[in-house]
Amino acid sequence: MKTFDVIVLGLGAHGSSALYHLSKQNIKICGIERFKPPHDFGSSHGQSRIIRQAYHESPMYVPLVKKAYELWNELEQISGRKILLKTGGIILGNENSNVVRGARLSAETHDVPYEYLNNQEIAKRFPALKPTEDTVAVVEQSAGILFPEECIKINLQLAEKNGAELLLNEIVESIHIKTDWVEITTNKDTYAAEKLIVSVGAWLSDLLPELRLPLTVKRQVLFWFKNTDEQRQLFIKPEHLPIFIWQYTNEHIFYGFPDLGNGLKIAPHHEGQSIHPDLLSKEVFEDEIDQMKNILNNYFSISAVFNFSDVCMYTNTPDEHFIIDYYPSNKNIIIASPCSGHGFKFSSAIGEILSNMATEKDLDFNISPFRINRF
Ligand SMILES: Cc1cc2nc3c(=O)[nH]c(=O)nc-3n(C[C@H](O)[C@H](O)[C@H](O)COP(=O)(O)OP(=O)(O)OC[C@H]3O[C@@H](n4cnc5c(N)ncnc54)[C@H](O)[C@@H]3O)c2cc1C
């Protein structure tokens, strides 16, 4: 049986980053992945991910995202490739909306510079946007766009260059806990490791059913729309439109990205149906496209024409905070489900945390809010 110091299961956003950070140490490591990453069957595809600091979900994420920025910058320098485009960000809603109040709270708690705009200031500064009268906005200059496929590719290339073994197109079927090591059976072979990081995204409940984790996997559609209004073409380019998150009713949020070449990218947040990840269909229906077109008509001053779509998955916890913890009865297994639709931006920092957990180093961050026993 092949043996390793650490094996990482699943090489998406967090697994590829964990493998890269582990590969900087002098240990024998491998990553096992059911597809060939980056791929578009999990949660980390679709050309772009938002990164921002005025974090409306909770101020506790701000130190983590600041660390993530540092590590993304470091990865850009080491690889010599572009992975982060700073566009700034605009968070919109009424003054009592969760996103606006939350963004201001995080910014004020952690000294993130921001501006607070009323509806007229928003329309003047960002002519693609059509705010309603009660809309206000938090504008943050440090926000921007990560290129997720490129991030994963770089993590894996660097890890392999540093000596990590990559076992691709290999499906992990079961994990067997031994006294002081772990055995992993795949569709091809059996491996042993002292430590295991399980970062299999939407398939986590399939691989560890005994933990009965309260996870729900949801189908999420992404849409790209071209602007056919010649005179307003420039308004959706990154020079005039930052990344946006808009809470347009109490229960509904959409978010999106300026036009990087394929049109404006826009998507609803947390509205998909529950699915099993093996049954994810890429088919997108006319009524879904129409719904998004209505949103564009109501909240944007452009002539939007549908270009194409993609489908991805959120793996949600009930409180929408992450899971980063040890297996309840065994510290040799580390479990990571940092998703709930907002985990990518942190993956540079979470990969380092997972690597430190596996090599029993001190952690720079308090992971207690992410423990499994909170459920
Ligand atoms: C549409 C969409 C938009 C999002 N927007 C943002 C955003 O703007 N900003 C942000 O920060 N976050 C965003 N997120 C969330 C973020 O993308 C996810 O939190 C993150 O990608 C999750 O990474 P992961 O490593 O947990 O999962 P994944 O990247 O999916 O990786 C899991 C990997 O495990 C592999 N695997 C599964 N089972 C097995 C097995 N049995 N054997 C071997 N390999 C296996 C899978 O093939 C996959 O490659 C978004 C998510 C979606 C879906």
Side-chain angles (χ1 to χ4, degrees), residues 9 76 99 134 136 203 219 265 270:
L9 305 187
E76 269 194 341
V99 297
D134 64 345
V136 293
W203 285 266
R219 170 182 175 275
K265 178 181 163 189
H270 283 298

Side-chain angles (χ1 to χ4, degrees), residues 13-14 33-34 39 43-44 49-50 172 312-313 338 344-345:
H14 298 284
E33 163 60 53
R34 67 190 301 153
H39 59 77
S43 303
S44 298
R49 289 291 183 271
I50 293 174
V172 179
C312 197
M313 291 179 285
F344 193 91
K345 64 185 75 60

Side-chain angles (χ1 to χ4, degrees), residues 9-15 32-35 37 39 41-45 48-52 55 152 170-173 199-203 207 220-222 255 257 265 267 312-314 322 336-346:
L9 305 187
L11 299 177
H14 298 284
I32 310 181
E33 163 60 53
R34 67 190 301 153
F35 301 112
H39 59 77
F41 309 111
S43 303
S44 298
H45 57 281
S48 45
R49 289 291 183 271
I50 293 174
I51 182 164
R52 59 196 152 89
Y55 215 70
I152 292 173
E170 186 159 344
I171 304 175
V172 179
E173 290 177 340
S199 50
V200 292
W203 285 266
L207 207 54
Q220 295 295 141
V221 186
L222 305 161
Y255 67 93
F257 302 78
K265 178 181 163 189
C312 197
M313 291 179 285
Y314 281 0
F322 303 153
S337 180
C339 187
S340 289
H342 65 117
F344 193 91
K345 64 185 75 60
F346 303 101

